[in-house]
Every structure is written in structure tokens, then in C-alpha cells.
Amino acid sequence: MSKKEIEQKMRRAAVWQLSEKGFTVDDVSSGSGVPKLSRLELSKSGSVQNCITKFTTSGRIHFVREGETFKVLHDFDLVLHIYASSYDSECVKVSLFTRATVEKAFNAAYEALVGVGQANIPIWLSPEFEDGLRFTGSGFTDEALWSEVVNISNAQLDHLAVGDESPESGAGIMEQIKSLLSKHMGVHSDQLEIDVRIKH
């Protein structure tokens, strides 16, 4: 499995956690270079909010400063932080933040860099505290709306639907067949091996 495929599986685990929290999730990702499940619309109790997801194996996330705001960030209500310590990790830490919390952290970092004449340096921040001027603003993990560690193998990814999209959307035909069989047989798709033979 490629890193891109692993990342998508981890993103799906994070979306599964959102559904466990009672959200209805629509994937509204679009555009060149925008990964699936990176832009979400979350509905709960009649309220609809836009959410940007940030996947990371370092813990740090990045937003580009543009004028007086951070590009992209200001278009969203929520930020979903998806942290895996490596691509081999069995778990991801999923944390949901308000835009205001993340914006406050990034503004603090920007102001600190402006103070030393380094406003041009890209800002990468982790919710976990990191020492040093460049990481000013980090350490906002306690301000999360909620935070959960999700075991990827326990997440019901084969039964996860995002909006009107079926779980198999975008998957190859063999993955789709495996997913359908896994539901029918009550086993995880990773436990199935399909042998195809052509009759002459």
C-alpha cells in the first residue's frame, strides 16, 4: 500500500470518528492537488459547519499567510487535526479545533516572527507545545473541542459512507469486490484474497 493510500485510510478513520461523534459528513474536496476528505461539511443537530482536515506525521500543520489572514484557514469553521506518528502507525490521534483557536496560535507565531524580522519564514505548528521562538503559538491541544485516539483496524471503514458517496468510491474494482464480500461474509476486507481465472 502506498503512502497516499495509507493516508487516505487514516483520513477515513478520522471521518469514522466524526461519525461516531454524531456528525453527518459530506466530502466537499475539489480542485487539483486537493486530497479526498481534506474539505468536509459537518452536520449535527441542524447546524452545518465547514471543516478543513490536516493530516500529519510530524504533528505540525501549515497555513500560508496572505495579507492580514491565513489563506484557506479563514474559509473554514473547524480544523480537524489527524496525527499519525508514522505511516506504519496502527493509531491516529484525531482532534477537532475551532478556527479561532488555530488562528490565534498562527497569529501568535506570525507576530513573534515579525518581531525578529523573519515574517517570511513558513509557519508550521503542532497542538503539542514545542519550545523556541519559531514554534510560538504551539501547545493549544487543551483547547480542542475533543480529541480521540483511533485504532485504524477497529474503525469500521468498510461500512463508512461519506454523504452520498459509497465507501468504495474511487477504489479499484478488486477493492470494491472485496468490500462487498467483506460485508456479505462479516469479515474485514484485508482478510480476503481473491483469485481470478479466465476460462477459455
Side-chain angles (χ1 to χ4, degrees), residues 17-111:
Q17 184 61 53
L18 283 170
S19 68
E20 288 292 288
K21 291 286 185 181
F23 290 98
T24 299
V25 184
D26 285 308
D27 183 9
V28 293
S29 309
S30 64
S32 176
V34 178
K36 289 174 66 63
L37 303 179
S38 61
R39 310 285 192 270
L40 306 174
E41 191 173 82
L42 307 182
S43 306
K44 187 177 183 181
S45 303
S47 173
V48 180
Q49 293 179 293
N50 292 322
C51 178
I52 185 168
T53 70
K54 287 288 190 174
F55 172 82
T56 173
T57 55
S58 70
R60 298 177 189 139
I61 59 174
H62 175 58
F63 287 102
V64 176
R65 182 83 177 187
E66 186 175 68
E68 297 299 311
T69 62
F70 285 92
K71 188 178 178 181
V72 179
L73 176 60
H74 70 274
D75 294 328
F76 292 87
D77 306 304
L78 302 167
V79 178
L80 188 70
H81 185 269
I82 308 166
Y83 170 55
S85 58
S86 75
Y87 283 95
D88 296 323
S89 177
E90 290 295 316
C91 298
V92 289
K93 183 178 181 183
V94 183
S95 304
L96 188 65
F97 297 94
T98 64
R99 177 187 65 206
T101 294
V102 178
E103 215 164 30
K104 178 182 174 184
F106 274 78
N107 278 326
Y110 177 73
E111 293 300 329

